[in-house]
Amino acid sequence: MDGDTIDGRLVDAGSGLIDRRIFSDKDIFEQEMKQVFGKSWLFVGHESQIPNKGDYFTSQAGRDAVVVTRDSDGEVRVMLNVCTHRGMPVCRYDKGNAKRFTCPYHGWTFSNNGDLSGLPLSTEGYGGQLDRKKWGLIQARVTLYYGSIWATFDETVPPFEDTLGDMAVMLRDFMQGPDGEDDGLEVIDGILKFEIHSNWKFGAENNAGDLYHDVSHNSVQRVGLALSGLRGRHVWNADKHLFKTLNVAYPAGGHAARVNLYDDEQREYHPQWAVIPEVDEYFRAAHYARQERLGEKARLLNRGGIVFPNIAYNSAGRWQITMWVPRAPNRTEVWKWYFVPKNAPQKVKDTLRHYLLRYGGPSGMVEQDDIENWASAQVGAESAAANRLPMNYTLHMGQARWAWPVPWFGEGAYVDEGVSEHAQRIFYAHWAEMMGGPVSGQETGR
Ligand code: FES
Ligand code: FE
């Protein structure tokens, strides 16, 4: 992070240029763990993973391992999975049900609400003086948002909904699922986890709104992965009512969504699952019920996006959350939660589970294209010779408008149309703000 950057900046949102070293430099990585991950609300899981008192699962809040419990009083807790004695993980399972966690090293025991409830040699060794209240598991602040669970260990971060801003419209729409219920989704049991040799930001920025990379998925398009049999992954490409594809970015929080806007809220249903009539019937009914429920807002189809910094969601038939767990500048763990509509018939849930596994993850047909892209881009980011030129994010610059073209995106929405790197510029501008570095182009030129 010396002066040898783009005009003294790592990220120049105004010019759309980004120094390659933000993907490879160790000091930058350590700084973003503190300044970006340490100061953000982070997704850790979903309430459907812990329906009963005593249920728990382990997860990650950035680099920090956490255990998420529904304690004996029914309260959801997110606690550092670090024994307060010498730092061992107190929970070594992915999930389960327990009243307490006993550390395998010296046996300190913590209740499922984090209290230090068992202390070997309490009297003989500590004279009964050790303050158990002080030495409980370290607790995160927790926000439950339509089934999703968010946490931060920082006391100064504003409330979750403040950091979400107008992005709340999109996240809520996603979490509600096709039936529009407040906790409309449930997790398919088992979180998919794999490691990629790439910086975490490549995945995040791609999901912010990289509509430019369809060429990567050409082979899948030719195969015709969509169950409708259409030559194309997305049935919406065939919809004559598709009016605009929009990159809806929220500069205040760095979030972004990819949205289809239709010219008619009453558009007809396009069969996506025609080969399985029972599934098609469910989605057909959900389609018309949504129009009824939302009125004019049914013109919007929320396809996916990111909640800054490291969470992507995919909606509209491929309900999933992807989390990038940063391990090193060139090493990222990817965790995927696949969801199904909670009240859907079992046949629909099974079909979606098969579809999602065929689509995503390292064994899926689509996502392995992306994984290869990001790992290869990492090699370019680490090249000293390549660093004479910054990364180029200038596609479709200067075209975005505030709260356009529909007011219900919220006043905080800064929107561009079509294939653009607008959402990536917003992502990096916000990243740079959190890193505390000088950034240009805050108001114009994005
Ligand atoms: Fe947990 Fe010692 S490290 S009891
Ligand atoms: Fe992709």
Side-chain angles (χ1 to χ4, degrees):
M1 298 192 47
D2 49 33
D4 194 20
T5 52
I6 307 157
D7 192 22
R9 302 177 184 93
L10 281 163
V11 171
D12 189 335
S15 65
L17 302 177
I18 288 178
D19 192 301
R20 283 167 202 268
R21 280 171 295 181
I22 72 165
F23 303 104
S24 60
D25 185 282
K26 274 204 177 71
D27 293 339
I28 294 172
F29 180 82
E30 288 304 324
Q31 192 184 338
E32 66 185 1
M33 291 308 100
K34 269 193 239 131
Q35 297 290 113
V36 177
F37 282 80
K39 301 281 181 192
S40 296
W41 283 94
L42 301 169
F43 174 85
V44 293
H46 192 264
E47 281 195 76
S48 62
Q49 295 175 266
I50 43 172
N52 303 309
K53 288 177 182 174
D55 287 349
Y56 70 83
F57 61 89
T58 47
S59 186
Q60 290 290 136
R63 267 196 308 193
D64 288 319
V66 294
V67 54
V68 183
T69 67
R70 189 176 295 279
D71 72 18
S72 298
D73 294 326
E75 189 176 334
V76 174
R77 306 257 183 182
V78 180
M79 301 171 289
L80 216 50
N81 192 8
V82 170
C83 179
T84 50
H85 179 232
R86 200 72 86 248
M88 280 282 284
V90 295
C91 178
R92 299 169 74 86
Y93 296 95
D94 286 346
K95 60 174 190 157
N97 183 286
K99 285 198 167 56
R100 60 191 72 86
F101 303 98
T102 297
C103 177
Y105 200 174
H106 310 95
W108 283 26
T109 296
F110 303 88
S111 304
N112 58 18
N113 66 1
D115 288 351
L116 177 60
S117 56
L119 182 66
L121 301 181
S122 167
T123 312
E124 309 89 307
Y126 295 100
Q129 297 299 307
L130 192 125
D131 182 352
R132 295 193 187 204
K133 281 209 164 48
K134 179 173 171 190
W135 294 97
L137 293 177
I138 293 169
Q139 308 259 352
R141 293 164 64 198
V142 178
T143 299
L144 305 179
Y145 194 76
Y146 299 102
S148 56
I149 306 171
W150 302 78
T152 177
F153 286 98
D154 190 279
E155 290 304 320
T156 63
V157 176
F160 176 65
E161 293 205 41
D162 291 359
T163 64
L164 204 53
D166 287 327
M167 179 68 186
V169 177
M170 302 295 174
L171 185 61
R172 183 177 175 188
D173 176 74
F174 164 66
M175 295 307 318
Q176 287 180 322
D179 300 322
E181 288 183 32
D182 275 352
D183 57 347
L185 296 178
E186 68 182 19
V187 173
I188 298 174
D189 202 13
I191 311 304
L192 188 66
K193 300 170 188 172
F194 54 95
E195 186 174 295
I196 57 176
H197 296 279
S198 153
N199 188 273
W200 67 273
K201 294 188 289 299
F202 280 125
E205 63 146 72
N206 174 284
N207 279 267
D210 193 324
L211 300 173
Y212 197 25
H213 81 291
D214 249 17
V215 62
S216 285
H217 302 303
N218 246 344
S219 54
V220 167
Q221 296 200 24
R222 287 199 191 132
V223 169
L225 183 66
L227 282 182
S228 62
L230 291 172
R231 295 283 157 182
R233 287 176 302 139
H234 309 304
V235 69
W236 52 65
N237 290 343
D239 193 324
K240 64 181 187 306
H241 291 292
L242 180 58
F243 174 52
K244 287 175 190 304
T245 305
L246 300 173
N247 300 280
V248 184
Y250 294 94
H255 319 298
R258 307 180 300 278
V259 168
N260 282 2
L261 187 68
Y262 296 89
D263 62 3
D264 184 356
E265 61 267 29
Q266 295 294 333
R267 69 191 193 283
E268 76 209 68
Y269 173 75
H270 283 265
Q272 290 193 62
W273 302 91
V275 294
I276 311 173
E278 199 178 337
V279 178
D280 209 45
E281 193 40 53
Y282 170 78
F283 283 107
R284 178 186 301 276
H287 175 85
Y288 289 112
R290 182 174 187 270
Q291 290 184 351
E292 189 89 352
R293 194 171 62 244
L294 296 182
E296 198 212 358
K297 286 187 186 174
R299 286 176 63 200
L300 176 154
L301 179 74
N302 178 16
R303 289 167 49 180
I306 59 159
V307 179
F308 189 91
N310 68 329
I311 294 301
Y313 69 93
N314 273 278
S315 191
R318 303 202 302 263
W319 293 277
Q320 62 192 276
I321 279 182
T322 307
M323 171 169 86
W324 287 278
V325 181
R327 294 296 188 186
N330 61 356
R331 205 159 62 80
T332 301
E333 253 173 56
V334 186
W335 288 34
K336 294 184 82 78
W337 283 256
Y338 290 123
F339 295 92
V340 289
K342 194 163 135 190
N343 295 325
Q346 194 56 41
K347 180 76 179 169
V348 173
K349 293 182 182 182
D350 290 343
T351 304
L352 279 176
R353 178 163 49 87
H354 293 147
Y355 174 66
L356 289 165
L357 287 172
R358 197 164 67 241
Y359 189 95
S363 62
M365 291 180 72
V366 177
E367 200 157 40
Q368 52 176 288
D369 300 335
D370 297 314
I371 295 168
E372 175 61 23
N373 286 338
W374 303 331
S376 301
Q378 184 67 28
V379 177
E382 290 173 3
S383 159
N387 202 43
R388 72 183 62 176
L389 278 177
M391 298 278 197
N392 186 313
Y393 289 79
T394 59
L395 182 70
H396 216 239
M397 265 188 70
Q399 307 295 318
R401 287 189 261 168
W402 289 99
W404 173 89
V406 274
W408 24 269
F409 288 152
E411 284 183 2
Y414 195 39
V415 183
D416 197 9
E417 184 185 336
V419 177
S420 164
E421 285 169 343
H422 163 66
Q424 288 103 311
R425 290 189 287 272
I426 298 290
F427 175 85
Y428 284 114
H430 190 69
W431 178 88
E433 276 171 37
M434 291 196 81
M435 290 285 279
V439 193
S440 72
Q442 293 303 306
E443 299 302 330
T444 57
R446 280 171 173 158

